[in-house]
């Protein structure tokens, strides 16, 4: 729903397993968002395991490799934040838990942290 309703920007930070699941489940929605002019940025580990999934997002999202940061969240339009509460290494995907908040105050702070990490820790694809 967040991706479908996005108007300007989607930023996703995720793990190795997380990006594989997200590409499988969300690629068509991300393509539609891109078609509406939504800017999509994804920070995820680029490994041999994730290469195939990340290649499927070519032309849809700007992707940067991020290492040494274990987080899973999405920020949409600097208004919405969806963050995963569990470490995906410790929980089966069907039992994973997330919190969705609509708060420009918190979303803007998270957006600034994402942007800083994007500039300083992430390496281009």
């Amino acid at each position: 729903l967040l991706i479908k309703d996005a108007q300007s920007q989607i930023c996703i930070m995720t793990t190795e397993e997380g990006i594989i699941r997200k590409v499988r489940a969300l690629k068509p929605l991300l393509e539609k968002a891109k078609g509406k002019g939504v800017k999509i940025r994804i920070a995820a580990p680029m490994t041999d395991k994730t290469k195939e999934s990340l290649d499927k997002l070519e032309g849809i999202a700007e992707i940067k490799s991020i290492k040494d940061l274990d987080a899973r969240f999405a920020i949409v339009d600097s208004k919405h934040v969806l963050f995963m509460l569990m470490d995906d290494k410790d929980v089966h995907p069907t039992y994973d838990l997330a919190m969705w908040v609509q708060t420009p105050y918190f979303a803007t702070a998270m957006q600034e942290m994402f942007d800083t990490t994007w500039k300083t820790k992430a390496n281009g694809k």
Side-chain angles (χ1 to χ4, degrees), residues 12-20 23 40-58 61-69 118 121-125:
I12 298 171
M13 185 172 293
T14 191
T15 60
E16 189 176 57
E17 289 296 325
I19 193 61
I20 294 167
V23 169
I40 303 167
R41 296 187 296 164
I42 299 174
M46 287 188 198
T47 64
D48 290 339
K49 188 175 181 178
T50 63
K51 183 178 179 354
E52 183 179 336
S53 293
L54 291 170
D55 286 348
K56 291 178 182 178
L57 295 175
E58 189 74 36
E62 186 179 351
I63 301 167
K64 287 197 178 183
S65 179
I66 186 128
K67 296 176 183 169
D68 305 324
L69 188 58
W118 186 264
K121 287 192 172 216
N123 300 316
K125 183 172 177 184

Side-chain angles (χ1 to χ4, degrees), residues 43-100:
M46 287 188 198
T47 64
D48 290 339
K49 188 175 181 178
T50 63
K51 183 178 179 354
E52 183 179 336
S53 293
L54 291 170
D55 286 348
K56 291 178 182 178
L57 295 175
E58 189 74 36
I60 299 170
E62 186 179 351
I63 301 167
K64 287 197 178 183
S65 179
I66 186 128
K67 296 176 183 169
D68 305 324
L69 188 58
D70 195 17
R72 297 183 302 143
F73 62 88
I75 307 160
V76 178
D77 296 335
S78 295
K79 294 178 190 172
H80 303 271
V81 179
L82 177 75
F83 52 96
M84 307 308 290
L85 301 176
M86 311 290 285
D87 185 338
D88 61 355
K89 294 179 189 118
D90 298 334
V91 65
H92 189 276
T94 58
Y95 292 103
D96 210 350
L97 186 62
M99 183 172 283
W100 172 9

